mmCIF file of all heavy atoms in Angstrom:
data_model
loop_
_atom_site.group_PDB
_atom_site.id
_atom_site.type_symbol
_atom_site.label_atom_id
_atom_site.label_comp_id
_atom_site.label_asym_id
_atom_site.label_seq_id
_atom_site.Cartn_x
_atom_site.Cartn_y
_atom_site.Cartn_z
ATOM 1 N N ALA A 1220 -16.407 -42.108 26.264
ATOM 2 C CA ALA A 1220 -17.481 -43.000 25.687
ATOM 3 C C ALA A 1220 -17.116 -44.425 26.147
ATOM 4 O O ALA A 1220 -18.163 -45.155 26.501
ATOM 5 C CB ALA A 1220 -17.399 -42.877 24.152
ATOM 6 N N ALA A 1221 -15.921 -44.914 26.091
ATOM 7 C CA ALA A 1221 -15.526 -46.166 26.461
ATOM 8 C C ALA A 1221 -15.766 -46.370 27.999
ATOM 9 O O ALA A 1221 -16.307 -47.467 28.499
ATOM 10 C CB ALA A 1221 -14.082 -46.525 26.253
ATOM 11 N N PHE A 1222 -15.493 -45.402 28.783
ATOM 12 C CA PHE A 1222 -15.691 -45.432 30.265
ATOM 13 C C PHE A 1222 -17.178 -45.480 30.556
ATOM 14 O O PHE A 1222 -17.641 -46.225 31.473
ATOM 15 C CB PHE A 1222 -15.129 -44.117 30.844
ATOM 16 C CG PHE A 1222 -15.060 -44.232 32.329
ATOM 17 C CD1 PHE A 1222 -14.265 -45.161 33.031
ATOM 18 C CD2 PHE A 1222 -15.802 -43.394 33.149
ATOM 19 C CE1 PHE A 1222 -14.162 -45.165 34.363
ATOM 20 C CE2 PHE A 1222 -15.748 -43.392 34.534
ATOM 21 C CZ PHE A 1222 -14.915 -44.268 35.189
ATOM 22 N N GLY A 1223 -18.030 -44.750 29.690
ATOM 23 C CA GLY A 1223 -19.459 -44.856 29.906
ATOM 24 C C GLY A 1223 -20.043 -46.209 29.725
ATOM 25 O O GLY A 1223 -20.913 -46.734 30.441
ATOM 26 N N LYS A 1224 -19.509 -46.971 28.694
ATOM 27 C CA LYS A 1224 -19.925 -48.357 28.502
ATOM 28 C C LYS A 1224 -19.540 -49.248 29.677
ATOM 29 O O LYS A 1224 -20.217 -50.057 29.953
ATOM 30 C CB LYS A 1224 -19.293 -48.777 27.161
ATOM 31 C CG LYS A 1224 -19.824 -48.189 25.938
ATOM 32 C CD LYS A 1224 -19.250 -48.766 24.706
ATOM 33 C CE LYS A 1224 -19.714 -47.959 23.474
ATOM 34 N NZ LYS A 1224 -19.088 -48.517 22.242
ATOM 35 N N ILE A 1225 -18.360 -48.976 30.232
ATOM 36 C CA ILE A 1225 -17.951 -49.786 31.323
ATOM 37 C C ILE A 1225 -18.924 -49.568 32.489
ATOM 38 O O ILE A 1225 -19.296 -50.467 33.253
ATOM 39 C CB ILE A 1225 -16.549 -49.484 31.776
ATOM 40 C CG1 ILE A 1225 -15.532 -49.942 30.668
ATOM 41 C CG2 ILE A 1225 -16.046 -50.033 33.145
ATOM 42 C CD1 ILE A 1225 -14.031 -49.494 30.857
ATOM 43 N N VAL A 1226 -19.240 -48.270 32.783
ATOM 44 C CA VAL A 1226 -20.165 -47.946 33.898
ATOM 45 C C VAL A 1226 -21.496 -48.513 33.602
ATOM 46 O O VAL A 1226 -22.204 -49.058 34.532
ATOM 47 C CB VAL A 1226 -20.235 -46.391 34.148
ATOM 48 C CG1 VAL A 1226 -21.336 -46.091 35.156
ATOM 49 C CG2 VAL A 1226 -18.775 -45.999 34.641
ATOM 50 N N SER A 1227 -21.950 -48.502 32.348
ATOM 51 C CA SER A 1227 -23.283 -49.085 32.090
ATOM 52 C C SER A 1227 -23.224 -50.516 32.269
ATOM 53 O O SER A 1227 -24.325 -51.097 32.841
ATOM 54 C CB SER A 1227 -23.637 -48.797 30.532
ATOM 55 O OG SER A 1227 -23.869 -47.453 30.316
ATOM 56 N N SER A 1228 -22.209 -51.255 31.906
ATOM 57 C CA SER A 1228 -22.131 -52.709 32.195
ATOM 58 C C SER A 1228 -22.092 -52.927 33.703
ATOM 59 O O SER A 1228 -22.644 -53.855 34.227
ATOM 60 C CB SER A 1228 -20.901 -53.280 31.480
ATOM 61 O OG SER A 1228 -20.781 -54.654 31.868
ATOM 62 N N LEU A 1229 -21.353 -52.124 34.418
ATOM 63 C CA LEU A 1229 -21.221 -52.250 35.877
ATOM 64 C C LEU A 1229 -22.657 -52.073 36.492
ATOM 65 O O LEU A 1229 -23.001 -52.889 37.299
ATOM 66 C CB LEU A 1229 -20.325 -51.257 36.505
ATOM 67 C CG LEU A 1229 -20.271 -51.225 37.939
ATOM 68 C CD1 LEU A 1229 -19.520 -52.397 38.552
ATOM 69 C CD2 LEU A 1229 -19.530 -49.970 38.443
ATOM 70 N N THR A 1230 -23.378 -51.158 36.042
ATOM 71 C CA THR A 1230 -24.730 -50.828 36.527
ATOM 72 C C THR A 1230 -25.656 -51.992 36.193
ATOM 73 O O THR A 1230 -26.291 -52.561 36.994
ATOM 74 C CB THR A 1230 -25.237 -49.522 35.978
ATOM 75 O OG1 THR A 1230 -24.297 -48.524 36.406
ATOM 76 C CG2 THR A 1230 -26.628 -49.257 36.655
ATOM 77 N N ASP A 1231 -25.757 -52.255 34.862
ATOM 78 C CA ASP A 1231 -26.766 -53.245 34.334
ATOM 79 C C ASP A 1231 -26.480 -54.650 34.769
ATOM 80 O O ASP A 1231 -27.378 -55.457 35.114
ATOM 81 C CB ASP A 1231 -26.768 -53.150 32.901
ATOM 82 C CG ASP A 1231 -27.349 -51.802 32.382
ATOM 83 O OD1 ASP A 1231 -27.970 -51.107 33.151
ATOM 84 O OD2 ASP A 1231 -27.054 -51.401 31.193
ATOM 85 N N ASP A 1232 -25.134 -55.072 34.729
ATOM 86 C CA ASP A 1232 -24.759 -56.421 34.932
ATOM 87 C C ASP A 1232 -24.349 -56.822 36.395
ATOM 88 O O ASP A 1232 -24.332 -57.945 36.711
ATOM 89 C CB ASP A 1232 -23.713 -56.850 33.975
ATOM 90 C CG ASP A 1232 -24.068 -56.538 32.516
ATOM 91 O OD1 ASP A 1232 -25.312 -56.740 32.230
ATOM 92 O OD2 ASP A 1232 -23.218 -56.262 31.662
ATOM 93 N N VAL A 1233 -23.985 -55.802 37.082
ATOM 94 C CA VAL A 1233 -23.421 -56.112 38.476
ATOM 95 C C VAL A 1233 -24.320 -55.517 39.601
ATOM 96 O O VAL A 1233 -24.847 -56.159 40.435
ATOM 97 C CB VAL A 1233 -22.015 -55.652 38.509
ATOM 98 C CG1 VAL A 1233 -21.460 -55.824 40.029
ATOM 99 C CG2 VAL A 1233 -21.134 -56.300 37.586
ATOM 100 N N LEU A 1234 -24.459 -54.141 39.573
ATOM 101 C CA LEU A 1234 -25.170 -53.567 40.655
ATOM 102 C C LEU A 1234 -26.700 -53.713 40.607
ATOM 103 O O LEU A 1234 -27.217 -54.007 41.683
ATOM 104 C CB LEU A 1234 -24.807 -51.973 40.578
ATOM 105 C CG LEU A 1234 -23.391 -51.739 40.878
ATOM 106 C CD1 LEU A 1234 -23.131 -50.257 40.795
ATOM 107 C CD2 LEU A 1234 -22.898 -52.240 42.177
ATOM 108 N N MET A 1235 -27.301 -53.451 39.423
ATOM 109 C CA MET A 1235 -28.756 -53.614 39.411
ATOM 110 C C MET A 1235 -29.229 -54.992 39.906
ATOM 111 O O MET A 1235 -30.304 -55.141 40.521
ATOM 112 C CB MET A 1235 -29.410 -53.212 38.073
ATOM 113 C CG MET A 1235 -29.167 -51.680 37.868
ATOM 114 S SD MET A 1235 -29.650 -50.643 39.194
ATOM 115 C CE MET A 1235 -31.306 -50.194 38.725
ATOM 116 N N PRO A 1236 -28.659 -56.110 39.412
ATOM 117 C CA PRO A 1236 -29.069 -57.374 39.894
ATOM 118 C C PRO A 1236 -28.933 -57.595 41.408
ATOM 119 O O PRO A 1236 -29.780 -58.190 42.090
ATOM 120 C CB PRO A 1236 -28.175 -58.347 39.137
ATOM 121 C CG PRO A 1236 -27.773 -57.699 37.941
ATOM 122 C CD PRO A 1236 -27.777 -56.274 38.306
ATOM 123 N N VAL A 1237 -27.841 -57.008 41.975
ATOM 124 C CA VAL A 1237 -27.686 -57.074 43.379
ATOM 125 C C VAL A 1237 -28.736 -56.194 44.136
ATOM 126 O O VAL A 1237 -29.287 -56.719 45.131
ATOM 127 C CB VAL A 1237 -26.264 -56.615 43.867
ATOM 128 C CG1 VAL A 1237 -26.149 -56.423 45.315
ATOM 129 C CG2 VAL A 1237 -25.215 -57.493 43.204
ATOM 130 N N ILE A 1238 -28.966 -55.081 43.676
ATOM 131 C CA ILE A 1238 -30.008 -54.194 44.208
ATOM 132 C C ILE A 1238 -31.412 -54.932 44.084
ATOM 133 O O ILE A 1238 -32.210 -54.894 44.990
ATOM 134 C CB ILE A 1238 -30.050 -52.776 43.490
ATOM 135 C CG1 ILE A 1238 -28.796 -52.030 43.918
ATOM 136 C CG2 ILE A 1238 -31.357 -52.084 43.954
ATOM 137 C CD1 ILE A 1238 -28.624 -50.734 43.119
#
Side-chain angles (χ1 to χ4, degrees):
F1222 191 67
K1224 289 179 183 180
I1225 291 171
V1226 171
S1227 292
S1228 177
L1229 174 69
T1230 304
D1231 296 339
D1232 302 327
V1233 177
L1234 294 178
M1235 293 310 265
V1237 171
I1238 292 170

